[in-house]
Amino acid sequence: MVIDENTVVKLTLILYEVDKKPRTILSTLKSGDSLIIGRGQNVQLWVNDKNISREHCKISCVNGEVFVEDLASRNGTFVNKQRIHGRAQLKGGEQIRLASSSSVIVSLELAQGNQGAIADPPTPPPPGDQILQPGEIINGYRIERRVGEGGMAVVYKATHLGLNRPVAIKTLVSRLIQNPKAIKRFANVAKVASVLTHPNIVQIFDSGRLDKRGIYYIVMEYVEGQNLNALLKEYGKLPLDRSRLVIGRIASALEFANKHNIIHRDINPSNILVGEEDVPKLIGLGLAKCLNDEVTSLTQPGQGMGMVGYIAPEQLLDASKADHRSDVYSLGAVFYRCLCGQTPYDTKNIRDFFSCIHKRIPPPRPHEVNQHIPRTISDMILKALEYNPEKRFQSITEFILALKAAVSPDKYNSQKIAESAMSMLPQKVEVENFEFDALFKPYADVGGDFYDFIELNDKEIGIVIGDVTGHGIEAAIIVGMIKMAVKIFAKQYASTTDALKHANKEVFPDLDQTTFATVFYGIINREKKTLRFSRAGHNPLILYNPNRAKPITTYHPEGKCIGMFAQCELQEMQIQLQPGDCLIQYTDGVTEAMNSEQEEYGMEKLCETIRSSENNIQTILGNIEKSVEEFVGAEKQQDDIAVIGVKVL
């Protein structure tokens, strides 16, 4: 489909993931626009899959045509099952698969025209019939019933006729349809949410305007349940465990938004939907502020916005000054409300509330309001509610770590964990006719990378390397769990696939939906000089020997990550080794190291570094370390780095 340069391309991206419901994401592109897909922080469509590179591929509109381009991803981009190199044109209806072994598939649909975008009309239309009636069909959605109304919008439950699934449709209230600023704020919801794909943020599917009736609408995910405010009115307050679940997951959503330079600015119980199994979803992005976007201009200096009782003091005085720490304050206030049954300042009127803020009166201590609240939780809430932003947690990430530490302080003792993690690194092994070496550089004091050498019997030795999502204390704890599980089952099962499958079965129940690991496990038979191995979503194995017909070979047996799915499907591969073979296995801190130009080190450069080295395992690992350091330059290391090498003598 060729698109006129002046029109808008409407993309409907449907993500299919194993054991999960499909997710639909709406995006619009003008000529020159692009949308990056990956698992990194600076993407527009985030995919929680370790097989996907941080910046995997890009969909762009160029001179009226739409293309998908592979961004030198580790495992490739496929269009209709064909791997692409560079970019390929899209004509509508194509299926894009990210990585040959990935469970994530993106179905792409192109629609010509700009009817899906909410535009700021030159002249606001006159009020028409803004009430949608049950049974009415608009743009492929059948209205079922009206489910709620707020100060800005009316919400209906509807059915997407093409997919036969429930959706929620939000329409701008009739009294605001002639208010250009209100229209912009309404459009801001769709604009901001379109770049936030997260399991705890309500997904936006569609948006537009019915010209004849002057109705502005947004179609979004329908959540069966109620908002947190209704839940609190019903129960007064929530138990600690239930509160931690809700606050922890909303914190994860805010962390994701903050990494995309988006501040919510309106976190309160009414903007948190609680669905099945108490899974919370964040809504209310109408006041969201993009630090690198013109949306910020919607808020004028000196204008305060947000809900009284939950708004940060600096935001109360001037919403344009709000930053990530303002969201920290509001989340702390919601946590306070969940546990104490009241807001931090339970005043009788707004004037008294303003007086408390102006006089900087600290709120009552949570553990004194509710004696069942642990002192550690009480203290962290009060830190989040500090009047001075400099004294609060400086990021949502710090808030999350404090929440976990408050629950299990001994478990999250950083010095203890760091010492334990380093002590788990194996000593250098000596095996006749083989040479082993390793490189390990954690990003923080404690990291998420690990490796191990396991003595299985008098003929075989196991080699393991892995990478857990995240860094720091929590990642180190997960490292210990997975490393121990692999070691135990490696000694029980002769197959590398069986060992990893049982390790996954052991740790899966203890990991949350955002934590998983890639693991490589191989068994070297010293007598037969063979290597049998499997990779659970890990990087390809590299074999280097300048005396072979093909000096460098990479191996890609398929396999799912540990902890991502209850069932871990894997393949086992065997290589016949010969003298001079050097086996190099590594974590993505090597290939995805970035320089100041935001370029990745990449697989190609890694292979070039290996090829230019002497056939000596210590030299190869040393050259890899030096090459990565030179490539990164003055940029800070952003991920753990681990490399293991084995040479056949």
Side-chain angles (χ1 to χ4, degrees), residues 28-252:
T28 56
L29 299 178
K30 296 179 181 178
S31 185
D33 288 348
S34 62
L35 180 147
I36 297 177
I37 303 173
R39 62 179 178 83
Q41 297 180 8
N42 301 315
V43 301
Q44 286 73 54
L45 178 54
W46 182 72
V47 181
N48 188 9
D49 189 333
K50 193 65 176 180
N51 290 321
I52 306 300
S53 295
R54 283 191 174 87
E55 294 186 1
H56 195 95
C57 66
K58 176 173 69 175
I59 297 175
S60 57
C61 183
V62 181
N63 296 326
E65 297 179 326
V66 179
F67 298 88
V68 59
E69 179 181 357
D70 183 74
L71 300 177
S73 64
R74 183 173 70 240
N75 289 325
T77 301
F78 299 75
V79 176
N80 295 336
K81 299 183 180 181
Q82 296 294 317
R83 183 165 185 168
I84 65 171
H85 300 279
R87 72 179 189 178
Q89 186 175 354
L90 299 176
K91 298 181 179 180
E94 287 89 352
Q95 190 177 77
I96 304 173
R97 189 178 178 97
L98 311 179
S100 59
S101 63
S102 173
S103 61
V104 181
I105 301 174
V106 181
S107 293
L108 174 66
E109 177 186 340
L110 303 181
Q112 187 170 0
N114 57 7
Q115 67 275 14
I118 295 180
D120 184 20
T123 303
D129 181 13
Q130 276 77 45
I131 305 300
L132 299 178
Q133 302 297 332
E136 185 177 351
I137 297 176
I138 61 165
N139 290 356
Y141 303 98
R142 184 180 64 237
I143 304 300
E144 305 296 343
R145 60 185 174 89
R146 182 168 170 164
V147 295
E149 181 174 355
M152 189 174 186
V154 180
V155 181
Y156 301 86
K157 181 180 180 181
T159 299
H160 186 298
L161 296 177
L163 300 176
N164 192 30
R165 71 175 180 192
V167 296
I169 295 182
K170 178 180 287 190
T171 65
L172 188 66
V173 294
S174 57
R175 65 182 178 82
L176 294 178
I177 65 169
Q178 292 188 4
N179 184 329
K181 185 167 288 189
I183 293 170
K184 285 185 178 181
R185 290 201 181 283
F186 190 72
N188 191 38
V189 174
K191 180 176 183 179
V192 173
S194 68
V195 300
L196 296 177
T197 306
H198 188 279
N200 297 114
I201 298 176
V202 167
Q203 297 299 294
I204 300 297
F205 299 145
D206 199 358
S207 63
R209 177 171 174 265
L210 302 178
D211 290 334
K212 292 183 179 180
R213 298 171 64 179
I215 296 178
Y216 293 89
Y217 68 90
I218 298 172
V219 182
M220 59 184 65
E221 174 185 3
Y222 180 75
V223 179
E224 190 70 57
Q226 57 186 329
N227 66 40
L228 182 58
N229 191 52
L231 203 63
L232 290 169
K233 284 183 178 179
E234 180 179 353
Y235 293 102
K237 52 180 174 281
L238 302 181
L240 177 61
D241 287 347
R242 195 177 187 187
S243 297
R244 283 197 299 106
L245 173 65
V246 171
I247 296 300
R249 292 189 174 182
I250 292 300
S252 175

Side-chain angles (χ1 to χ4, degrees), residues 231 379 541:
L231 203 63
D379 289 345
L541 172 70

Side-chain angles (χ1 to χ4, degrees), residues 497-512:
T497 58
D498 287 344
L500 291 179
K501 284 180 180 180
H502 282 83
N504 178 73
K505 186 177 180 180
E506 179 69 21
V507 303
F508 179 77
D510 297 321
L511 302 182
D512 63 36

